[in-house]
Amino acid sequence: MINAEGSLLSQENSILIGKKPPMNYVLACLTAFHEGAEEVVIKARGRPISTAVDVAEMVRKKFMPSAMVSEITIGTEEVQLKEGGVKRTSSIMIRMRKKK
Amino acid sequence: MINAEGSLLSQENSILIGKKPPMNYVLACLTAFHEGAEEVVIKARGRPISTAVDVAEMVRKKFMPSAMVSEITIGTEEVQLKEGGVKRTSSIMIRMRKKK
């Protein structure tokens, strides 16, 4: 999907949450759904995990009651450090879809 | 359950994540399991949500491979402000149990 918010939205409608204001990500979700996506996946690593939950809650409670959370998974990702070694970071994946 | 970490652990083995170091909460989880709990529920509101995910991941990946995440739910809680009005905060609930 090609999108005005291209940098926030990758293939398979996944949105990686970072340090921008939560509303940027909410709008990216809403845009994807309004362009016909059946499903949007919100992902975050580390501190922005709480923002990912905020975004999912704002989408379904405030802006799009026809959207629901269909799956939540947590995990650990290993990031290779330039200076050698590995850093472990927690991650979250929140899958949202339109209610049938 | 009565526990040395009583302040972290309430009835039904639920642990509310706050601003203490993550290891405090990891230890509270491990203690509950080792005292016989079949299930431990990790809860957080707002910023500590990412710590809640860290805690769950540390418990199952590092300290207790026999534990698994059985359910994750997110929600919005409304807190009454003293000065009037309501503040909405996102929350997470991560349910962990021993593998059968």
Side-chain angles (χ1 to χ4, degrees):
Chain A
M1 171 176 287
I2 297 161
N3 181 291
E5 297 280 323
S7 58
L8 296 180
L9 201 63
S10 71
Q11 75 271 57
E12 70 137 0
N13 298 315
S14 101
I15 294 170
L16 181 64
I17 306 294
K19 292 179 175 173
K20 297 182 184 174
M23 271 308 292
N24 291 35
Y25 305 107
V26 170
L27 287 174
C29 280
L30 296 176
T31 305
F33 278 124
H34 290 157
E35 285 181 351
E38 282 297 311
E39 189 172 89
V40 174
V41 180
I42 299 169
K43 294 179 180 178
R45 282 192 287 267
R47 288 293 128 197
I49 285 176
S50 60
T51 310
V53 175
D54 290 339
V55 168
E57 286 294 295
M58 281 194 270
V59 167
R60 71 169 172 176
K61 292 265 167 71
K62 215 166 178 176
F63 296 101
M64 201 176 148
S66 63
M68 57 176 281
V69 171
S70 58
E71 189 192 1
I72 306 173
T73 56
I74 59 174
T76 303
E77 294 189 10
E78 298 195 344
V79 181
Q80 288 286 345
L81 299 177
K82 278 181 193 165
E83 57 272 31
V86 171
K87 193 186 165 212
R88 286 188 188 76
T89 316
S90 298
S91 64
I92 197 167
M93 194 269 300
I94 304 172
R95 195 177 290 273
M96 302 195 73
R97 56 165 56 250
K98 289 183 187 168
K99 288 178 189 166
K100 302 280 172 180
Chain B
M1 171 176 292
I2 297 161
N3 182 289
E5 297 279 323
S7 58
L8 296 181
L9 201 64
S10 71
Q11 76 270 59
E12 70 137 2
N13 299 315
S14 103
I15 293 170
L16 182 63
I17 306 294
K19 292 178 176 174
K20 295 182 186 174
M23 271 307 292
N24 291 34
Y25 305 107
V26 170
L27 287 174
C29 281
L30 296 176
T31 305
F33 277 126
H34 290 157
E35 285 182 352
E38 282 298 310
E39 190 173 89
V40 174
V41 180
I42 299 169
K43 294 179 179 177
R45 281 192 288 267
R47 288 292 128 196
I49 285 176
S50 60
T51 310
V53 175
D54 291 338
V55 169
E57 285 293 295
M58 281 194 270
V59 168
R60 72 170 171 176
K61 294 264 167 74
K62 216 166 175 176
F63 295 103
M64 203 178 147
S66 62
M68 57 176 282
V69 172
S70 58
E71 190 193 0
I72 306 172
T73 57
I74 58 173
T76 304
E77 294 189 10
E78 299 194 342
V79 181
Q80 288 287 343
L81 299 177
K82 279 181 191 163
E83 57 271 31
V86 172
K87 192 187 166 214
R88 286 187 188 76
T89 316
S90 297
S91 64
I92 197 166
M93 195 268 301
I94 304 173
R95 194 178 291 272
M96 302 195 73
R97 56 166 56 250
K98 288 183 189 170
K99 289 178 188 165
K100 303 278 173 183

